[in-house]
Amino acid sequence: MKPGDLDKALTNLADHPAGGEVANWLASGRFNGLPNYEQVVSSFTQKNAMSGGVEQLRLGRTLQESGITDISFEIKKDVEIRPGVVTGPRTDMDVMARDRDGKVYGYQFKEVSNPKKVGSKMWQNIGQLADSQADVKVYVVDTKGTLADMMASGIERDLSRIHSERGVIVVLRVEDGTLMYPPGANFMPGGRP
């Protein structure tokens, strides 16, 4: 980390709704030594990048609590994720985890402020995850609105197409719930929490 990043990150976390929770994780050392963890901590120095970092650490904590220890953050292009398997040039996985059998799970988080742009934003960025070579690719999108709004917008067509054409599971979180495609998909090592 750059000098002063931790202090700046802690100052920003003090103003964030999940700041106390995240500060406790940082202080606990639970993520120390995980590849690229320092990049997540550095993201807290920029207020507009904080929600992504919070989601990365929340998933990391959930994975650890389910017994997964092979966790990495911020995986980009040209990284060997399995013997002989290298991530593609557009890869951007926020979190990567390997289960005990070596199966690779890749996750990306996006926040889309305008719910009318969810479909286009997903298509605009899906290559970052689809190109990753992970066995299971999970795209988590947060936006405003309701499940009824999303269904009325026809979002299911986009979710279905993303899954069938790009092999990506989509978890769309709105203010009153979650829409996942395909429904009931297993997106966590060892099964859903």
Side-chain angles (χ1 to χ4, degrees):
M1 289 180 58
K2 296 176 190 169
D5 273 5
L6 184 57
D7 290 337
K8 197 180 295 184
L10 291 173
T11 298
N12 286 340
L13 286 168
D15 294 332
H16 193 277
E21 176 184 29
V22 172
N24 286 335
W25 297 336
L26 298 178
S28 75
R30 74 181 304 149
F31 302 116
N32 290 354
L34 294 181
N36 305 319
Y37 165 60
E38 68 283 349
Q39 290 179 34
V40 179
V41 176
S42 290
S43 74
F44 295 128
T45 64
Q46 302 171 20
K47 289 192 179 209
N48 65 341
M50 290 184 63
S51 64
V54 169
E55 292 301 329
Q56 287 174 276
L57 296 185
R58 279 185 175 150
L59 176 59
R61 181 205 63 211
T62 300
L63 290 164
Q64 286 178 334
E65 289 174 353
S66 69
I68 302 300
T69 58
D70 192 346
I71 302 166
S72 303
F73 299 102
E74 297 296 336
I75 301 299
K76 307 294 186 199
K77 68 178 182 170
D78 300 328
V79 174
E80 187 173 56
I81 60 171
R82 282 188 305 285
V85 178
V86 177
T87 57
R90 294 179 295 170
T91 299
D92 183 1
M93 285 189 283
D94 294 329
V95 178
M96 184 182 78
R98 283 185 201 85
D99 68 11
R100 289 171 190 86
D101 298 325
K103 191 175 194 177
V104 176
Y105 290 73
Y107 302 88
Q108 187 177 53
F109 296 94
K110 289 290 180 200
E111 189 171 339
V112 181
S113 56
N114 183 345
K116 292 179 181 176
K117 294 188 176 188
V118 167
S120 64
K121 289 288 186 184
M122 284 191 302
W123 280 107
Q124 182 180 351
N125 294 295
I126 199 67
Q128 296 173 343
L129 188 57
D131 205 32
S132 70
Q133 304 299 325
D135 298 304
V136 178
K137 303 168 189 94
V138 184
Y139 195 43
V140 181
V141 180
D142 289 301
T143 193
K144 297 182 179 356
T146 65
L147 290 170
D149 295 339
M150 287 290 111
M151 298 303 280
S153 75
I155 195 69
E156 279 189 304
R157 286 187 306 274
D158 281 313
L159 303 183
S160 173
R161 201 169 135 223
I162 285 170
H163 185 262
S164 66
E165 292 180 17
R166 305 309 300 265
V168 175
I169 297 168
V170 180
V171 179
L172 178 59
R173 300 186 298 199
V174 293
E175 293 167 302
D176 68 346
T178 301
L179 181 63
M180 182 170 54
Y181 197 90
N186 177 21
F187 58 90
M188 293 290 286
R192 292 176 69 188

